[in-house]
Amino acid sequence: MTSYKIAPSILAADYANFESELKRIEASGSEYVHIDIMDGHFVPNISFGADVVASMRPHSKLVFDCHLMVSNPEAHIESFARAGADIMTIHVEATPHIHGALQKIKAAGMKAGVVLNPGTPVASIAHVLNLVDQVLVMTVNPGFGGQAFIPEMQDKIAEIVRLREEKGLTFDIEVDGGIDDKTIALTRDAGANVFVAGSYVFKGDVTERVTTLKEALNG
Ligand code: DX5
Ligand code: ZN
């Protein structure tokens, strides 16, 4: 049986109260907290960096699922490992050295993820799939919360599932952007098993929203 995981995105939470926001996420029965790192270069916004992740770490046992929307992600591997990141996911578009960067993430003791922007083809990651614990499929263009789900990404997810089978691999497939109680089932049907949700979760009672997402998955 596939194990599904919900990853509320702390990008949509109250930045002045990360400690209590982490507790709300933990109490909701979520497995992960998704932490969006933006550098104002790879994407227009700046969010927060490794020091902020390090200061969150003592307050939560959740899996820290760090999504780096940054140029030159190699430069940040050591600092995220030290900060206590469990998974470090980097964009294939952000470095000419994706293979080496993923090897370094694993060597630093973290799980490694690779992420594709909506316009980036699956072929761009075909030769690194053996290195990854997770493939993240952006279902919006990265940089902002609250955007609409791009339905064409369902075919991309299915293509990754086929490639995973062909290669006999077992990585997770995560989706990020515009996930709510309706779109979550579309991505599950395509083959995703880790679901990031920002605005949907934080625009209501966190536990109620996570419960609704889990019901939609199991319905
Ligand atoms: C977007 C981020 C997402 C964002 C999702 O660039 O990677 O993780 O928080 O937000 P929603 O769920 O509101 O689309
Ligand atoms: Zn994200």
Side-chain angles (χ1 to χ4, degrees), residues 9 11 34-38 67 69 136 138 174 176-177 196:
S9 170
L11 190 71
H34 184 80
I35 306 177
D36 286 304
I37 311 298
M38 304 181 180
H67 172 197
M69 287 161 272
L136 170 52
M138 289 309 300
E174 182 176 51
D176 184 9
V196 177

Side-chain angles (χ1 to χ4, degrees), residues 1-4 191-193:
M1 234 187 77
T2 317
S3 87
Y4 296 129
N193 69 302

Side-chain angles (χ1 to χ4, degrees), residues 6-10 12 175-176 179-180 195-202 213:
I6 305 289
S9 170
I10 206 151
V175 284
D176 184 9
I179 300 299
D180 61 20
F195 307 90
V196 177
S199 41
Y200 178 76
V201 165
F202 285 94
L213 290 175

